[in-house]
């Protein structure tokens, strides 16, 4: 069942999302630990501030009673304070309500530190964590071999389709062959220029490009030559292309050396043959003398 799901293109996005989520579990654990330690430090400070206020405050006016009620609701224990900070960080509650008891208790240093905590977690920590998650998800998608193969095949099919469309537009007489005149005149079209730019073949001379596409040297290009040539010439020279060129050059050099060696042997044999033919002609004259 899992193999069937992996092989079906309709589940492609689902597979990528599941793999990305599984790949982000370890960063999620470290992010949770970082947030917990950060909230722990701030919670201890807020708890001490509110505890001192409860012990030292003797007034019984409406503001004090409301502050006491808020402190009992949000700052009654360490775990209650941690839970409140977690809700404020993740959007589970309005952080203004959590900061209200600190404002009513006139603990302005605690209020400023609470605002700094919200700014630090909302603007810095969570954005950094989100960026890490996105990076892991992109790496997972890039390392998915099946996804990469599907993208390459889809891109190749699109390039073939575009190349065939350009060829049929250039074939004005519908002969199945494109001459240099048809090819050169069609290159003036902005759509054709955009196509060759997408194939990274812009800036190449028309005659030179035509000769590169004309594999059999017939002076015309058929659809197979045009499509295969555009696909092969697409992009810059790769290591494989350079290695193939070097191999062909070595083979050609070896053939030339063999040809020179054979010519040299034939010249030696010809020289010896000439010398052998000259000896019978000179020996009678020598003996006569």
């Amino acid at each position: 069942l899992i193999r069937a799901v992996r092989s079906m293109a309709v589940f492609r996005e689902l597979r990528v999302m599941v793999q990305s989520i599984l790949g982000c579990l370890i960063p999620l654990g470290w992010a949770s630990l970082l947030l917990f330690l950060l909230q722990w430090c701030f919670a201890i400070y807020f708890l001490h501030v509110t505890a001192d206020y409860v012990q030292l405050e003797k007034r019984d006016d409406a503001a004090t009673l409301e502050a006491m009620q808020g402190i009992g609701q949000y700052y009654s224990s360490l775990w209650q304070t941690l839970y409140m900070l977690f809700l404020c960080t993740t959007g589970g509650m309005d952080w203004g309500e959590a900061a209200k008891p600190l404002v009513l208790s006139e603990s302005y240093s605690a209020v400023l530190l609470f605002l700094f905590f919200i700014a630090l977690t909302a603007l810095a920590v969570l954005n950094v964590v989100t960026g890490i998650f996105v990076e892991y998800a992109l790496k997972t998608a890039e390392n998915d071999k099946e996804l990469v193969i599907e993208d390459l095949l889809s891109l190749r099919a699109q390039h073939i389709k575009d190349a065939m469309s350009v060829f049929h537009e250039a074939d004005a007489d519908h002969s199945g062959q494109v001459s240099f005149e048809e090819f050169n005149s069609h290159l003036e079209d902005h759509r054709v220029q955009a196509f060759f730019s997408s194939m990274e073949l812009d800036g190449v001379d028309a005659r030179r490009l035509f000769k590169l596409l004309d594999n059999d040297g017939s002076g015309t290009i058929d659809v197979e030559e045009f499509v295969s040539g555009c696909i092969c010439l697409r992009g810059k020279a790769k290591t494989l292309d350079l290695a193939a060129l070097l191999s062909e050059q070595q083979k050609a050099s070896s053939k030339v050396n063999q040809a020179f060696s054979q010519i040299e042997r034939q010249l030696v044999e010809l020289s010896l043959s000439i010398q052998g033919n000259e000896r019978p002609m000179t020996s009678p004259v020598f003996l006569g003398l």
Side-chain angles (χ1 to χ4, degrees):
L1 180 60
I2 296 178
R3 291 182 179 179
V5 171
R6 289 173 61 90
S7 62
M8 296 180 66
V10 69
F11 294 106
R12 169 183 171 181
E13 289 78 9
L14 178 62
R15 185 180 73 248
V16 173
M17 287 189 291
V18 172
Q19 291 179 349
S20 300
I21 293 174
L22 294 178
C24 294
L25 290 180
I26 295 178
L28 176 62
W30 286 113
S32 301
L33 179 61
L34 176 63
L35 285 175
F36 177 77
L37 294 176
L38 188 64
Q39 292 169 0
W40 180 279
C41 296
F42 281 89
I44 291 177
Y45 174 78
F46 294 142
L47 193 62
H48 278 293
V49 170
T50 53
D52 292 341
Y53 176 78
V54 171
Q55 291 179 358
L56 299 177
E57 185 60 42
K58 303 300 182 181
R59 293 178 299 177
D60 56 354
D61 54 354
T64 303
L65 294 178
E66 186 176 358
M68 291 291 184
Q69 183 180 1
I71 291 173
Q73 183 177 0
Y74 300 123
Y75 303 95
S76 60
S77 65
L78 178 61
W79 298 110
Q80 181 66 32
T81 307
L82 285 173
Y83 179 68
M84 178 270 300
L85 293 178
F86 178 77
L87 293 179
C88 293
T89 303
T90 57
M93 67 172 295
D94 185 8
W95 59 267
E97 292 294 328
K100 190 174 181 180
L102 301 177
V103 176
L104 294 176
S105 62
E106 299 180 355
S107 302
Y108 299 114
S109 60
V111 173
L112 292 176
L113 195 61
F114 189 90
L115 295 177
F116 174 74
F117 168 78
I118 297 298
L120 178 64
T121 54
L123 302 179
V125 177
L126 293 183
N127 286 332
V128 171
V129 171
T130 303
I132 294 175
F133 286 172
V134 171
E135 182 180 2
Y136 267 84
L138 292 176
K139 286 183 178 180
T140 302
E142 291 176 356
N143 295 330
D144 190 348
K145 295 181 180 180
E146 296 181 3
L147 183 62
V148 172
I149 292 174
E150 290 178 5
D151 289 339
L152 290 177
L153 292 177
S154 176
L155 183 62
R156 181 181 177 85
Q158 184 63 38
H159 286 158
I160 293 175
K161 181 180 178 181
D162 294 340
M164 294 182 65
S165 176
V166 170
F167 178 85
H168 290 307
E169 290 179 1
D171 186 14
D173 55 359
H174 304 286
S175 62
Q177 303 285 334
V178 174
S179 63
F180 175 73
E181 291 74 15
E182 292 176 329
F183 181 78
N184 190 26
S185 62
H186 197 55
L187 280 179
E188 299 178 358
D189 191 345
H190 295 292
R191 294 179 301 171
V192 178
Q193 295 176 3
F195 166 73
F196 283 112
S197 297
S198 66
M199 302 292 289
E200 301 181 21
L201 293 175
D202 52 334
V204 182
D205 181 66
R207 185 173 295 278
R208 182 184 176 189
L209 180 59
F210 185 84
K211 290 182 178 180
L212 291 174
L213 296 175
D214 187 14
N215 295 326
D216 55 3
S218 61
T220 58
I221 304 174
D222 57 18
V223 63
E224 184 177 355
E225 287 178 330
F226 184 79
V227 173
S228 61
C230 290
I231 296 299
C232 293
L233 295 175
R234 176 179 177 268
K236 300 179 181 180
K238 302 179 178 62
T239 305
L240 182 61
D241 299 329
L242 298 178
L245 181 61
L246 180 61
S247 177
E248 292 178 359
Q249 184 179 4
Q250 290 176 349
K251 291 179 180 179
S253 178
S254 177
K255 290 181 179 180
V256 171
N257 292 333
Q258 291 177 2
F260 276 119
S261 299
Q262 185 176 1
I263 293 173
E264 185 178 1
R265 287 196 302 268
Q266 291 177 355
L267 289 176
V268 172
E269 293 176 358
L270 181 61
S271 177
L272 293 176
S273 176
I274 294 175
Q275 291 177 2
N277 292 331
E278 290 179 351
R279 287 178 182 177
M281 296 175 62
T282 57
S283 56
V285 178
F286 178 76
L287 291 175
L289 293 174

